[in-house]
Every structure is written in structure tokens, then in C-alpha cells.
Amino acid sequence: MKNCLLKAMLVAMFLVVIAFAWGQSVFYEEPFDTNQGWTLESNWSIESGALKLGWSPSATDYDLSATSPNIMVPASAGDMVVSQYIDEYAGQGNPPETYEIIAVAGGAPNVLWSYSQDDDWGVSGGQDLILSLAPYAGQTIQLKFRSTGTSTFNFNNWYIYNITAYASLNNDLVATSISGNTTPSANSAYPYVISVRNS
């Protein structure tokens, strides 16, 4: 009897998780193929499909950030998944460098995640970090990736490979790109191609 009850509970929990996952749609995705309006301070770059903070040129007592353009967070916002890897130069920082993911809402910075250990975080190629955007539902935010420390020589690189944010939307279609004439003349018709993905 206990085994049947346990199995029934496990099946019910599995169905709830599946229903929740299928009910979420992507409302924001950043694969870092090109710079789509990010503000990059010294040592930050977008290259080879990643947002990257590099140690070179060496800077002391540094405070360096990369900030996204405005992101409109739907009222039904859920989680954001950040695929990243921090390649620390172990044994160098004393104290170790600090890495932060910040949501800037209404000009106020709110730290979503902070890491300050003299060791790697994640794996090369990216490990997922799940953060909630629910506190910012219905607001316009910017994401800021910030690192501070005594010297950039104390780490190798911080890679952010992808950012994907989810919400429960009435539809699960998202326009992922648009191409066409970027300098249209008034009162003229032009063809545009819009790529749409079903989440």
C-alpha cells in the first residue's frame, strides 16, 4: 500500500513539474552572437558567442561592468537561466575577486547573485545558473554583470554564454529576428522577413 501511494505521489509531482515547464515561454534571449546594445566597460567584450570579461589589460583596484539594454519583464515573469563559467586563477586573489549579476530597476541596483571564492565556478562551455525575475514583474530592467577586485591578473576570464528568461504568456510564439530595409522612404512599401519561434 505504501509503495502504491509513493508511486502515485511521484507521478503527480512529475506531472506538475512538466506542466509548469511547458507553461513557460521565452520572453528574452541573448546568445551573444553580436552586440545588441550592451554597454561594455574596459576588459569586457562580446566575441565567439560569449560576453567575456578578460584579465588583459591588467587593472588594479578594478570595478568593471557590462550592462544590457532595457528589458521589459512581463507581469507573469518566471526564471532567468544564465549559462556561464568563471575561470579563476586559483591562489592569486587575497581576498578573491567578486562577481555579481545585478538587476537594475528604476535606477536601483539589486544583486541577484554574487560569487567571491578563489576557485572556478561552473564548467568550460557553460553551466546554468537559475535566478528568479518574479520580483521585477511588469518592470523595465537592465542586467549588469560586474566584477570587482584588487587586480584583473588574479583571474583568467568570466564567460557568459547565454541568457534566457521565461514567463507564462498567453501565446508561446516569439519573434527572434527581423530583416529588411533599414532606411525606408515615407509612403513606400518594403518587404520584411520576421523569424518566429514556437517556444
Side-chain angles (χ1 to χ4, degrees), residues 4 9 15 23 31 35 38-39 42 56 70 91 95 97 103 105 130 138-139 153 164 170 173 182 184-186 188 196:
C4 289
M9 288 174 57
L15 291 175
N35 187 345
W38 284 75
T39 302
S42 175
S56 180
N70 287 338
E97 287 60 50
I130 300 173
Q139 299 180 54
F153 189 73
T164 308
N170 290 334
L173 296 178
T182 58
S185 300
S188 298
V196 177

Side-chain angles (χ1 to χ4, degrees), residues 50-115:
L51 174 63
K52 175 186 168 187
L53 173 63
W55 68 271
S56 180
S58 182
T60 56
D61 297 321
Y62 73 93
D63 184 344
L64 301 172
S65 299
T67 307
S68 76
N70 287 338
I71 300 168
M72 295 179 63
V73 181
S76 58
D79 290 335
M80 172 176 68
V81 179
V82 178
S83 175
Q84 66 174 0
Y85 172 50
I86 297 172
D87 185 4
E88 264 286 329
Y89 191 23
Q92 296 299 309
N94 190 14
E97 287 60 50
T98 298
Y99 307 90
E100 295 177 330
I101 300 175
I102 299 167
V104 180
N110 303 287
V111 176
L112 301 176
W113 178 84
S114 182
Y115 182 79

Side-chain angles (χ1 to χ4, degrees), residues 96-197:
E97 287 60 50
T98 298
Y99 307 90
E100 295 177 330
I101 300 175
I102 299 167
V104 180
N110 303 287
V111 176
L112 301 176
W113 178 84
S114 182
Y115 182 79
S116 185
Q117 295 183 28
D118 196 14
D119 200 8
D120 293 354
W121 189 98
V123 294
S124 180
Q127 181 171 323
D128 288 350
L129 171 67
I130 300 173
L131 304 168
S132 177
L133 288 182
Y136 308 98
Q139 299 180 54
T140 298
I141 66 168
Q142 290 180 287
L143 295 175
K144 179 183 277 192
F145 292 83
R146 176 183 181 219
S147 180
T148 61
T150 56
S151 174
T152 59
F153 189 73
N154 295 336
F155 66 89
N156 291 321
N157 298 294
W158 180 12
Y159 299 97
I160 297 93
Y161 297 101
N162 190 280
I163 303 168
T164 308
Y166 299 89
S168 297
L169 305 175
N170 290 334
N171 63 65
D172 62 354
L173 296 178
V174 61
T176 58
S177 67
I178 184 169
S179 62
N181 188 339
T182 58
T183 55
S185 300
N187 300 318
S188 298
Y190 296 93
Y192 289 88
V193 176
I194 301 173
S195 298
V196 177
R197 186 181 73 198

Side-chain angles (χ1 to χ4, degrees), residues 5-74:
L5 182 59
L6 181 60
K7 287 180 185 176
M9 288 174 57
L10 289 174
V11 168
M13 286 175 43
F14 176 76
L15 291 175
V16 167
V17 169
I18 292 298
F20 175 77
W22 282 36
Q24 296 284 300
S25 299
V26 175
F27 74 85
Y28 175 80
E29 187 166 21
E30 176 58 85
F32 297 108
D33 294 330
T34 60
N35 187 345
Q36 298 293 322
W38 284 75
T39 302
L40 306 175
E41 293 182 352
S42 175
N43 292 46
W44 281 99
S45 62
I46 292 177
E47 56 184 72
S48 304
L51 174 63
K52 175 186 168 187
L53 173 63
W55 68 271
S56 180
S58 182
T60 56
D61 297 321
Y62 73 93
D63 184 344
L64 301 172
S65 299
T67 307
S68 76
N70 287 338
I71 300 168
M72 295 179 63
V73 181

